[in-house]
Amino acid sequence: MDLSQLTDAIKSGNRKAAALLTQEAIDAKIEPRAILDSLIVGMDDIGARFQRNEVFVPEMLIAARAMKESMIILEPLLIAAGIRPEYTALIGTVQGDLHDIGKNLVSMMWKGANFNVVDLGTNVPPEKFVEAAKEHNPQIIGLSALLTTTMPSMKTTIEQLRAAGLTSTKIIIGGAPITQEFANQIGADAFAPDAASAVEVARYLVGPKAA
Ligand code: B1M
């Protein structure tokens, strides 16, 4: 069986085909890891096209939905084979901010890149980030903000994470009003302008093994 068909199903967001081809690949005794890789290639492709403005948010959402459909079938085999995401990412929209569409896109793209993602939702106080970071030991923490009035919450969250001893966890920030300059000012490790860049940045920060 040719796994490029499965990659194409993810790229085009065809969830029925994605589920069917995933099952076919499993029945054909293709290694779960290889099946997973073909899904990730599809998500990477849609991410790259999003960055080039060739596709937009809806296409990203339907590709992620197709990937989710495949993962429902594939996940038990990955677990049985001891294949688990190597890296964990914690994500949330900071305190005072209820916008979650962009944050959800980043979360989906990270899942598509085979990160274990713990999504804390919106209006997340710094203490909740600290508590969840201690519980899940993430390599990456992602903070999202859409309001200029909630940008200071990012600073407070970073300060509290660092004060709690989480000094090596890499913090990525993003959202419409966020800039690289602001990331530098508040001591974030990185800024990502969009969901596809958030994957590139996260992979870069955890090192070559995640690529
Ligand atoms: Co609000 N809102 N909103 N809103 N809202 C904006 C952000 C605003 C720019 C609209 C405007 O005035 N033109 C404005 C902010 C102005 C400012 O601060 N400069 C605004 C305002 C003022 C408000 C309220 C205060 C309005 C009011 O009640 N008076 C209020 C605040 C509520 C609160 O949060 N406490 C409010 C409420 C809402 C709704 C609830 C109605 C709704 C949110 C629904 C939801 O998210 N579930 C809403 C919406 C939808 C918007 C707009 C129209 C769209 C935002 C969006 O989802 N964009 C927005 C105007 C606009 O942007 N055109 C606006 C699509 C999304 C895919 O893009 O979120 O930018 P975005 O995410 C991108 C990147 O930024 C990046 O990747 C994503 C995809 O590539 N990214 C990251 C995001 N997070 C990242 C994290 C990363 C990396 C990249 O790493 C971790």
Side-chain angles (χ1 to χ4, degrees):
M1 188 201 157
D2 181 4
L3 282 176
S4 67
Q5 285 175 287
L6 180 53
T7 301
D8 288 344
I10 300 298
K11 286 187 204 172
S12 59
N14 186 337
R15 62 180 166 149
K16 275 196 185 150
L20 206 76
L21 290 163
T22 302
Q23 192 55 56
E24 270 182 30
I26 292 168
D27 295 343
K29 306 261 179 283
I30 295 177
E31 289 288 317
R33 176 78 232 188
I35 303 173
L36 176 65
D37 286 344
S38 70
L39 303 176
I40 295 172
V41 170
M43 288 303 290
D44 281 350
D45 177 83
I46 196 93
R49 283 190 288 145
F50 177 74
Q51 279 178 316
R52 296 195 297 267
N53 289 323
E54 291 168 14
V55 296
F56 301 97
V57 172
E59 287 89 345
M60 296 260 283
L61 290 174
I62 60 166
R65 204 179 52 181
M67 168 113 186
K68 200 170 162 190
E69 210 69 35
S70 289
M71 285 304 289
I72 291 169
I73 302 167
L74 190 60
E75 208 155 30
L77 278 91
L78 291 169
I79 292 168
I83 302 166
R84 289 196 170 78
E86 210 168 340
Y87 301 106
T88 295
L90 202 66
I91 190 165
T93 304
V94 296
Q95 189 162 37
D97 202 319
L98 300 173
H99 296 85
D100 69 356
I101 300 169
K103 183 266 297 166
N104 291 346
L105 267 180
V106 174
S107 171
M108 284 187 289
M109 290 302 287
W110 278 350
K111 281 184 192 157
N114 199 31
F115 282 77
N116 170 39
V117 179
V118 180
D119 189 336
L120 302 177
T122 60
N123 190 20
V124 183
E127 310 80 58
K128 196 166 167 196
F129 276 107
V130 172
E131 196 185 303
K134 286 184 174 167
E135 184 186 343
H136 298 284
N137 292 315
Q139 286 72 36
I140 299 285
I141 297 177
L143 309 179
S144 179
L146 262 286
L147 299 171
T148 44
T149 49
T150 56
M151 287 167 67
S153 294
M154 288 183 148
K155 183 170 186 282
T156 317
T157 303
I158 293 176
E159 281 167 0
Q160 292 204 20
L161 285 165
R162 297 309 187 208
L166 295 146
T167 48
S168 59
T169 314
K170 304 294 182 194
I171 301 174
I172 303 176
I173 66 170
I178 309 304
T179 60
Q180 181 63 56
E181 194 190 356
F182 179 67
N184 297 342
Q185 271 172 28
I186 65 169
D189 293 289
F191 157 67
D194 56 58
S197 312
V199 172
E200 287 171 4
V201 170
R203 282 178 171 157
Y204 173 77
L205 289 174
V206 295
K209 280 206 295 188

